[in-house]
Structure formats: structure tokens, C-alpha cells
Amino acid sequence: MNFQDLKIGTKLSVGFGALIAIAITLGLLAVFNMSKMRQESTIIDEEFLSELDIASDMLLSIQEVAQQMTAYNISEDPQYRRLGEKGFSDFKNFASQAQALAQRAENLPQLQASLNDILAQAATIESLMADAASQLANINQNRQGMDQSATFYMDNAHSLLNVQNQNMAEELARGGTDASRLEKIILINNIIDIGNEVRVANFKAQATRDVAALKAALGKFEQMNQYFAQLKPLVISAQNIAELEKTQAAAVGYSTAMVAFAANYEALQASNKEFNTAIDQIKNTVAALNQAAISETQAISKSNISLIDSSNAIMLVGLTLAAIFGFFLAYVITRSINQPLQEGVVFATRLAEGDLTAKLDTARKDEIGDLAKAMTRMVDKLRDIITNVKQSAENISSAGSQMSAKSQQVSQGANEQASSTEEVSSSMEQMSSNIQQNTDNAQQTQRIAQKAAQDIKTSSDNVNRTVSSMRTIAEKISIINEIAFQTNILALNAAVEAARAGEHGKGFAVVAAEVRKLAERSQNAAAEIDELSRNSVDIAETSGKLLENVVPDILKTASLVQEIAAASLEQNSGAGQINNAIQQLNQVTQQNAAAAEEMATSSEELSSQAEQLSDVMSFFNLGNEAVRSRAASRKPKARAIAHQPVQHIVFAGNKSKAKSAGIDIDLSEAHDDEYERF
Amino acid sequence: METEKKSSQVNSYLSFKLGDELFAAHVNKVLNILELVKITQVPKAPDYMKGVINLRGNVLPVIDTRVKFGMSPTQFTKNTCILVLSIRIDGESVDLGALVDSVQEVLEVEDANIQPSPSIGSKYKSEFIIGMMKVKELFIMLLDMDRVFSSEELVMLQAHQDLEPES
């Protein structure tokens, strides 16, 4: 398996996979180192720096305690003591923080031990601080004792001196004294002086806090005791002896107080020393802790720096390697794709120039090899197709010319059909107009008939009204008749009366006779009118009946005429439809004719296009020999196609129909026959 | 008696029709001419007695003249009238109504123009007929109304009339 035979995808995968692996390794290393550094830094931050912080605080607070306690010792002011205690409580607070840190921290093994030490020292300090007050009180008491003793001593000594001086002055005034008196005075003064000396030495020693000086001052009590011993035999008076003994006792008390003071003072100094030692020890321990934390921090920083340095080195080396490897892979892969592609380009260029004889190396097994195989197959297929196309073009050319001739025949037939259809169409139009006239006439007749029916109905109604009027007249006439009858009777009565009156009634008889005649005439006339009106009523009624009988006949006529009109309308629309159909037929025929002519030109166009196709196809170089033989083998088939031109034309026609929807052309032979018959 | 005198002086007659025949009566016998009114029939009366009518508060018997003359009973038409006659029966004046088919007119006829009725060939009893009058080419039979209604049949009428005032 060569590297060349690998698929392009595989090649790319191998290359990029290697690069990605290097990148991931470097990245993981960096992340690992970083996380380690972060861990160390966290330790620094959380443990060492915290330790440093707490230790500093502890140092500051214990220094504060030392300072305040020293001030207290010197000044004996309880305010400083309180401040010292406050500092000590701060210190304990920090110590408990340190304790917590020691329990929490993992990298501070010496902290717990140091802390234990510190706490022990702190306990010492606490007890010393508690003792300091009592010690100072003792010392004060001693001082007071010393002062009292000193005062007592001096008072007794001075009173003794005063007595001696008085005695001496008396003796001098008496004019004679003795040396013993002077000696006593000198001794007493010595005692006073040495007392003063002791006190001065004592105060000096206290001021300088020098216990040795104090003890040296104690040594002066021997000298004092000698002075007392020298003086004792000299003193005679009892009062003086008592004063002297009191002085000596005071000196003893003073020395005793001094010794106690010295002892206490030494004890205080020892306590102070112990206190200072404890403080110093704590300071040292804390300083050691500080130092340890700083040195640990420095160590971690140094290790971090070295870690970063090594990481940098590894990253640089890895990146360099990756770059080199990447360049190498890119070159190899590009080369493995590019070279065969260029071969393919050359092959395709030859194809574009029409050379179908070109060959391509297809030995490779990658995608480019597949492409080469496919292109080779394509070229083979193209060669076949183009050969077929060339032959088909020739066939189409010959078929096209035959189709052209047939199309012209069809065109002629269609033209004849169109003229015949035109004649039919004009006849139909005339018929249609006649039917239209019939329809109009029928409609008019119908309207007239309906009007007549309406009028007759009106007439009938009028006649009926006339009849009723006549009847009314007859009634009125009968009234007149009656009146006439009554008048007649009245006239007759009058005539009878007149006649019975004889000559006297003559004139009246004449009037009555005239009245009777008038009545008779009225009666006659009324009877005539009655008769006439009766006749008129009869006649009118007959007329009315006749008219009423006529109305349904006329209505029937009207409906019949309406039916005729409707039938005519239908006929008219039928004729219109026929006419439309014929018009459409005509149109279609004309379209057929035009289409047939177009077909003819199209067929010629087809022939020329086929020739052009042949010319175009000659562009391809097929390797002549093979194609010639193949073309020869195809020839007979082409001829067979030429023997069946009709089917070809039908096919072509159908195809054109399918293409140009709208023009309905069907050039089958059956239709051709129809044209012949038509 | 005055009426007798008058009748001799007056030559006027009222003509009427019964069927197609014309008759006349002397105006002195005629009191009034009435239109046909409602005739109240009288039970058990003779067939020529049509009934009674109310004439100005008096009961007036009505005689069907046609039946009296032996003709068919009167068919009532609008020309049918009732003549109110005053006739003498046995010297007493009696009012009665006579149904006639129609009343014609009052004629003045001289006595000279009245011819005696032919005794033979008349279908009516000649005793009723005074004479024949010829007026305008028509013959009118002049009736003696007293005689026409004076037959014994009318006695009961008279009796009836006599009874009336009492009741």
C-alpha cells in the first residue's frame, strides 16, 4: 500500500490528525503546568501569606505587651498595665488564629510546634504579669518601711545631738567642758552622716536600679554599728541612752527593710528578666516562622518559575516540530492531489478541443483515480453518442425534407377546407338572421295577443258595468211607471169626481182627462223604455258572455305564440352555437393550414439544423477507423427509418404539439385521408 | 132622489176592462177608484166574494167581478183596480168594492149613442146590461151596476154591512 494509493480524505485525516494530536499534547501539558502553578500559588496565598500575616500581627502585639509592661515596671502606673493586658489579649487572639491556621494548613508542619512553644511562653508571661503588681506592692512597702525607719533614726539622732550640743553649750557657758562631750558630739554627727550616706547610697542604687550598689550600701551598717559601739559607753544619761537605743533600733529596722527591699528588688528583676526572656523567645519563634514562610514562598516561586521555563521550552520545541511536520504533510498531500489533477486538466483540455482519442492513466486507487476512470468512461460514452448523433442528424435531414413535402400537401387541403367552411358559415348566418326575425315577430304577436286579451277583459268589465247600469235604469223606470199609474188613477178619480159634478165639473174634467192622458203617455213611454232596457240588458249580457269566452282563447293564443317565440329563441341560440362551431372549425382549419405551412418551413429548418449538427459533430475527433466501421454497421437501420417516413412525421408532429401548446396539429395519415374526402 | 135627477142630467161613464171586454158604469155609481190593496179574506164567503178591505176606517166588501160574470177568477196585475161603488139594493145604498182588470177612462156619451143590447148572442145576462156604447169604433157594454150586485147573493153582504156599525 503506497501513500499515493490512500484516499484523499485518509491523507488529509492522517495529516490533520497528527497536527491535532501534537496540539492537544502541548495544550494538555500547558494546562497541567498551569493548574500545578495555580495550586502552589493557592498554597502561598492561603497558608504562607496567612502565616506571615498572623506572625507579623503576633510580633507587633507581643512587642506592644513588652513595651507597656516595661513602662509599667518603671512608672508603676496601672494604665500601662491595662494597655499591656489589652495587647496580650490581642496576642492571644492572633495566637488562636494561628492555631486555626495550623489545623487548617497542610504545608505548615513546624507551625504547630512553634505555636505550642509560643503558647507555653505566653502562659509564663501571663503569670509574670499577674505577679508584677504584688511584687511592686512589696517593694513599695519596703520603701515606706525604710523611710519610716530613716525618719525615726534621724529624729532620735538629732535629738541626741541636740542634747549633747545643749550640754556642751551649758558646759562651755560654765566654762569648762571635757573631751568626752566633744567626742560624743562627733560620734553622733558621724552616726547622722553615716545614716545619710546609707540613705543616699540606697536612693542612688534605687535610681540606678543597681542591686550591687544597694548591697554595698548595706556594708556601711558595720561602720554605723562601730559608731554606736563607740558612742554607747560615752552616753550616761538614761534619756540619751534610750534615744541612742531607739536610733540604733531604727538603723536595724532600716537595714532590715533595705535587705527585704534588695531581696524583693532582685526578685522583681529576675521576673523582668524572665519576662523579657519569654518575650524574646516568642519574638524569635515568630521571627523564625516569618522567615520559614518567606523562605517557603520563595521556594515555591522559584519552583513555579522553573516550571514555567520548562513549559516554555517544551512548547517551543513542540510547536517547532508541529510546524515542520505540518509543512511536510502539506507538501506531500498537495503534491499527491495536484499532480494527477494537472494530468486531468490536460486530458479535459484535449477533450475541449474535440479530441476524443485522449487517454488518461487510471492506475491510481484514490478518488482522482476514480475520476480518471469515470472521465475515461465518459469519453467512451461521448464517442458512442456523438457517432449516433452524427448518423441521426443525417437521418433527420432526409426525414425533414419528406415531412416538408407532406406538410405542404396538408396545408393545401386545409386551405380548401377553410373556404368550404366559410360558405357554410355565411349560410348559417343568414339562417340565423331569419330565425331571429321569426323570434321577433312571434314575440311581437305574443305582446299584441296579451294586449288584446287585456283589452277584451276591460271591455267585458265595461259591458258588465253597462248591464248593471241598465238594470238600475229599469228600476228607476218602474218607479216612473208606478208614478204614472198612480197619476192615472188619481186623474181617473178626478175625472169621476168631475163627471159627478156635472156641468160644474166640466172644466176640471177636461184637466183631469189631460192629466190622465199625460199619465198614460208617461206610462207607455216608461213601458217602452223598460222594454228597451230589458232588451239592451239581454244584448249586453250576451256580449259580455261572448267576450268572456273570447278571453281564454286569446290567452291560449298568446301562450302558444309565446311557446313559438321560445322555440324560435332556442332555435336561434342553436343556430348561434352552430355558427360559433363553424367559426371555430373555420379558425381551426385556418390554423391547421398555417401550422402545416409552418411545419413545412420547420421541416426544412430541421433538415438544415441536422446538417449543421453534422457539421458541428465533425468537430469531434473520434479516431476515424472505428467510427467508419460503426457508421457502416448502422447504415441499414437508418435506411429502414427512411422507409417509414409517416410514422416519423407523426412522431415529429406530436412532439411539436407537445412543445407548442395552443396550436392543435395532428398530422396522422387518417386525417390526411379525411382531407382527401373533404 | 137628487141622485136620480143628477144621473139623468149627467151622461158620463167610467169604462173598465174585464179580460178583453170593455165595460162601463155610470159615474154616479162610482165613488172612488183604488189601487189594489191587501184584501183580507173572509172565511166561508162565496167564491165571488174576495174579502174585505179597510176604506177610510170602514169595512168594504170586495167582489170579484169576473167571477160574478162567470169568467175565471181575477189574476192580480199592476193594472188591477178596485172600484168603490155605491149601489142600491132594495132601496138602500150599499158601498162595495169591485175588482176590475183595468180602469180605462171617463167617457161622456149622449143617450142617443147608447143602443139597446142585443138580446141574443150575448154571453152575459142581458138584465145587467143597459146598452152598448160605441166609442171610437169600440163597443162598450154599459152595465147597470145596481142590478149586477143586487142579486140575492148580496143580501148577506147587506146584512153584514148592517151588522158592522153595531159591532
Side-chain angles (χ1 to χ4, degrees):
Chain A
M1 196 88 179
N2 198 339
F3 182 70
Q4 272 196 341
D5 293 340
L6 286 173
K7 299 275 178 191
I8 291 172
T10 318
K11 284 177 201 168
L12 289 175
S13 305
V14 167
F16 283 116
L19 285 177
I20 289 166
I22 289 168
I24 286 173
T25 312
L26 290 175
L28 282 177
L29 188 66
V31 167
F32 177 73
N33 284 343
M34 296 259 210
S35 66
K36 200 171 172 191
M37 280 190 271
R38 191 191 179 280
Q39 211 175 345
E40 306 255 295
S41 300
T42 309
I43 289 168
I44 289 174
D45 179 42
E46 287 182 354
E47 297 183 5
F48 295 137
L49 287 182
S50 298
E51 188 191 11
L52 208 56
D53 192 20
I54 293 169
S56 302
D57 287 339
M58 281 167 79
L59 199 57
L60 282 175
S61 58
I62 206 71
Q63 277 173 352
E64 172 78 8
V65 170
Q67 197 177 342
Q68 296 299 342
M69 287 313 288
T70 308
Y72 176 60
N73 275 342
I74 291 167
S75 68
E76 294 176 21
D77 188 347
Q79 187 191 343
Y80 292 114
R81 185 167 178 263
R82 279 197 297 278
L83 283 172
E85 278 169 355
K86 187 174 168 292
F88 191 69
S89 80
D90 284 350
F91 172 77
K92 281 203 284 189
N93 196 15
F94 291 131
S96 71
Q97 281 183 18
Q99 185 72 41
L101 180 65
Q103 279 170 3
R104 172 157 53 86
E106 294 168 353
N107 296 290
L108 300 170
Q110 66 187 62
L111 178 61
Q112 187 61 58
S114 303
L115 207 59
N116 289 339
D117 189 16
I118 286 167
L119 285 175
Q121 298 299 333
T124 311
I125 286 169
E126 198 167 18
S127 69
L128 286 173
M129 277 169 76
D131 291 344
S134 65
Q135 283 179 333
L136 280 177
N138 286 341
I139 285 171
N140 265 336
Q141 205 179 349
N142 290 341
R143 269 196 199 120
Q144 282 172 6
M146 279 193 293
D147 284 348
Q148 277 178 357
S149 300
T151 308
F152 197 54
Y153 176 89
M154 284 299 161
D155 285 348
N156 286 323
H158 278 292
S159 84
L160 197 58
L161 184 59
N162 283 339
V163 171
Q164 292 306 323
N165 280 341
Q166 213 173 342
N167 291 340
M168 191 178 170
E170 283 174 10
E171 283 172 4
L172 280 176
R174 275 185 278 141
T177 191
D178 58 2
S180 65
R181 180 76 62 194
L182 185 63
E183 197 179 349
K184 275 197 268 184
I185 288 170
I186 290 166
L187 277 172
I188 290 167
N189 276 331
N190 284 346
I191 284 169
I192 288 170
D193 286 346
I194 200 142
N196 282 333
E197 267 176 45
V198 167
R199 284 189 74 183
V200 168
N202 185 17
F203 284 126
K204 199 188 273 182
Q206 279 189 39
T208 57
R209 298 183 172 264
D210 191 353
V211 180
L214 196 69
K215 283 182 177 170
L218 277 176
K220 288 189 189 285
F221 279 103
E222 280 181 42
Q223 183 74 38
M224 192 188 281
N225 286 334
Q226 280 178 9
Y227 287 140
F228 276 116
Q230 284 175 2
L231 189 57
K232 252 177 196 172
L234 300 180
V235 177
I236 304 155
S237 72
Q239 190 195 353
N240 285 355
I241 290 168
E243 279 176 355
L244 186 62
E245 280 174 355
K246 278 181 189 170
T247 305
Q248 198 169 3
V252 170
Y254 192 81
S255 92
T256 312
M258 257 185 82
V259 168
F261 178 83
N264 280 333
Y265 198 76
E266 265 180 345
L268 180 65
Q269 279 196 330
S271 292
N272 280 349
K273 199 177 177 187
E274 201 180 345
F275 180 82
N276 285 334
T277 311
I279 293 283
D280 285 345
Q281 203 160 356
I282 287 172
K283 276 184 191 170
N284 288 339
T285 312
V286 170
L289 277 178
N290 272 354
Q291 191 56 45
I294 287 166
S295 65
E296 281 285 339
T297 307
Q298 275 175 346
I300 288 172
S301 298
K302 273 176 188 161
S303 88
N304 276 354
I305 286 164
S306 72
L307 199 63
I308 287 169
D309 285 349
S310 68
S311 292
N312 277 349
I314 290 166
M315 292 285 253
L316 272 176
V317 170
L319 284 174
T320 313
L321 281 177
I324 291 164
F325 186 61
F327 276 122
F328 173 71
L329 267 178
Y331 175 74
V332 169
I333 290 168
T334 309
R335 198 175 137 73
S336 76
I337 293 167
N338 211 8
Q339 198 177 0
L341 271 181
Q342 274 173 353
E343 283 173 25
V345 166
V346 168
F347 177 73
T349 312
R350 283 181 68 189
L351 280 188
E353 285 162 359
D355 187 2
L356 295 181
T357 59
K359 293 260 187 276
L360 192 63
D361 174 30
T362 59
R364 294 171 65 100
K365 286 174 186 167
D366 59 357
E367 283 93 340
I368 292 169
D370 293 347
L371 182 64
K373 280 173 207 157
M375 280 173 84
T376 311
R377 277 207 304 280
M378 183 186 82
V379 167
D380 288 346
K381 206 78 189 166
L382 267 177
R383 222 163 21 222
D384 282 359
I385 288 165
I386 287 161
T387 312
N388 286 346
V389 166
K390 272 184 173 174
Q391 284 168 8
S392 299
E394 283 165 21
N395 293 345
I396 288 167
S397 177
S398 69
S401 50
Q402 283 185 356
M403 199 165 85
S404 173
K406 286 287 178 192
S407 297
Q408 275 164 1
Q409 277 183 11
V410 169
S411 169
Q412 205 174 344
N415 277 334
E416 284 172 23
Q417 194 186 11
S419 66
S420 302
T421 313
E422 198 89 36
E423 282 174 28
V424 173
S425 171
S426 67
S427 303
M428 269 321 287
E429 270 172 22
Q430 198 162 356
M431 198 169 97
S432 176
S433 74
N434 286 343
I435 291 168
Q436 181 65 48
Q437 203 169 353
N438 280 354
T439 310
D440 292 349
N441 288 345
Q443 279 171 344
Q444 207 167 348
T445 311
Q446 184 208 345
R447 278 199 294 278
I448 290 165
Q450 275 173 345
K451 177 124 188 356
Q454 192 67 34
D455 290 353
I456 286 167
K457 212 165 191 173
T458 313
S459 303
S460 176
D461 291 348
N462 288 344
V463 166
N464 284 339
R465 280 210 294 278
T466 309
V467 167
S468 69
S469 301
M470 289 281 196
R471 286 204 175 116
T472 314
I473 290 169
E475 280 170 25
K476 302 289 183 222
I477 291 293
S478 74
I479 293 166
I480 292 169
N481 200 8
E482 207 169 323
I483 291 165
F485 178 71
Q486 283 171 352
T487 314
N488 190 22
I489 286 171
L490 285 172
L492 279 171
N493 277 326
V496 168
E497 287 295 327
R500 283 167 63 179
E503 281 303 316
H504 305 292
K506 223 31 167 200
F508 189 68
V510 172
V511 173
E514 284 301 317
V515 170
R516 200 195 64 79
K517 275 178 194 158
L518 282 175
E520 200 170 41
R521 274 171 64 191
S522 296
Q523 205 170 358
N524 288 341
E528 274 175 34
I529 289 168
D530 194 38
E531 181 68 26
L532 281 172
S533 64
R534 253 174 242 288
N535 287 344
S536 299
V537 165
D538 288 348
I539 290 163
E541 278 178 349
T542 316
S543 301
K545 275 174 191 156
L546 284 173
L547 285 173
E548 275 170 14
N549 287 341
V550 167
V551 168
D553 288 348
I554 287 174
L555 285 177
K556 175 84 179 163
T557 310
S559 73
L560 286 174
V561 169
Q562 198 171 8
E563 280 178 26
I564 290 169
S568 292
L569 272 177
E570 277 181 27
Q571 209 177 1
N572 196 9
S573 73
Q577 281 176 355
I578 291 169
N579 208 5
N580 279 344
I582 287 168
Q583 294 286 358
Q584 279 181 358
L585 185 64
N586 192 9
Q587 214 173 344
V588 168
T589 309
Q590 280 175 0
Q591 281 173 357
N592 280 355
E597 278 174 23
E598 272 182 39
M599 275 289 293
T601 45
S602 300
S603 307
E604 282 168 19
E605 180 70 22
L606 188 68
S607 297
S608 69
Q609 291 288 336
E611 277 169 24
Q612 205 176 339
L613 186 64
S614 289
D615 289 349
V616 170
M617 284 300 147
S618 68
F619 165 76
F620 290 106
N621 178 11
L622 299 174
N624 290 335
E625 298 311 316
V627 175
R628 282 277 175 258
S629 66
R630 245 186 245 177
S633 69
R634 295 258 170 130
K635 267 275 192 259
K637 203 174 175 185
R639 217 169 274 144
I641 292 163
H643 275 298
Q644 298 165 329
V646 174
Q647 274 90 337
H648 255 265
I649 289 161
V650 168
F651 174 67
N654 281 343
K655 217 170 181 184
S656 75
K657 180 183 171 183
K659 264 182 202 164
S660 60
I663 300 170
D664 193 4
I665 303 169
D666 190 356
L667 295 175
S668 71
E669 208 169 30
H671 283 257
D672 282 358
D673 287 348
E674 275 178 38
Y675 285 137
E676 288 303 321
R677 279 202 300 280
F678 191 53
Chain B
M1 289 316 272
E2 269 186 9
T3 54
E4 283 295 312
K5 268 195 216 169
K6 274 180 189 170
S7 70
S8 65
Q9 289 165 356
V10 175
N11 297 325
S12 292
Y13 305 92
L14 179 67
S15 66
F16 57 87
K17 267 189 171 176
L18 292 173
D20 292 333
E21 311 273 354
L22 274 169
F23 298 90
H26 198 274
V27 290
N28 282 350
K29 295 294 177 189
V30 178
L31 289 178
N32 209 347
I33 302 161
L34 296 177
E35 274 182 77
L36 189 62
V37 295
K38 170 75 179 155
I39 299 171
T40 309
Q41 294 208 335
V42 178
K44 286 192 175 177
D47 55 354
Y48 56 83
M49 173 82 177
K50 217 51 179 170
V52 294
I53 61 167
N54 183 353
L55 178 66
R56 292 187 282 275
N58 298 322
V59 174
L60 186 73
V62 179
I63 308 292
D64 192 343
T65 320
R66 284 173 62 101
V67 174
K68 192 73 189 168
F69 285 179
M71 296 160 81
S72 61
T74 304
Q75 299 295 314
F76 296 112
T77 68
K78 75 180 165 84
N79 286 327
T80 308
C81 290
I82 299 169
L83 297 182
V84 181
L85 300 173
S86 172
I87 59 170
R88 282 191 160 280
I89 300 169
D90 300 335
E92 278 180 58
S93 177
V94 174
D95 291 352
L96 59 83
L99 279 170
V100 295
D101 283 344
S102 66
V103 178
Q104 292 297 304
E105 59 190 319
V106 175
L107 300 167
E108 203 172 336
V109 181
E110 296 298 322
D111 290 344
N113 289 339
I114 300 172
Q115 297 168 8
S117 60
S119 51
I120 309 157
S122 172
K123 52 186 174 181
Y124 307 111
K125 286 180 180 176
S126 58
E127 58 185 280
F128 297 157
I129 299 166
I130 298 166
M132 302 284 278
M133 295 187 295
K134 191 169 175 262
V135 181
K136 298 174 194 169
E137 306 303 320
L138 289 172
F139 284 102
I140 300 169
M141 283 170 272
L142 182 55
L143 296 174
D144 187 346
M145 297 313 278
D146 292 344
R147 285 190 182 168
V148 169
F149 296 108
S150 68
S151 50
E152 60 277 10
E153 295 100 292
L154 290 176
V155 172
M156 61 174 290
L157 281 178
Q158 192 182 5
H160 189 73
Q161 267 191 332
D162 288 344
L163 285 173
E164 278 300 312
E166 289 169 17
S167 66

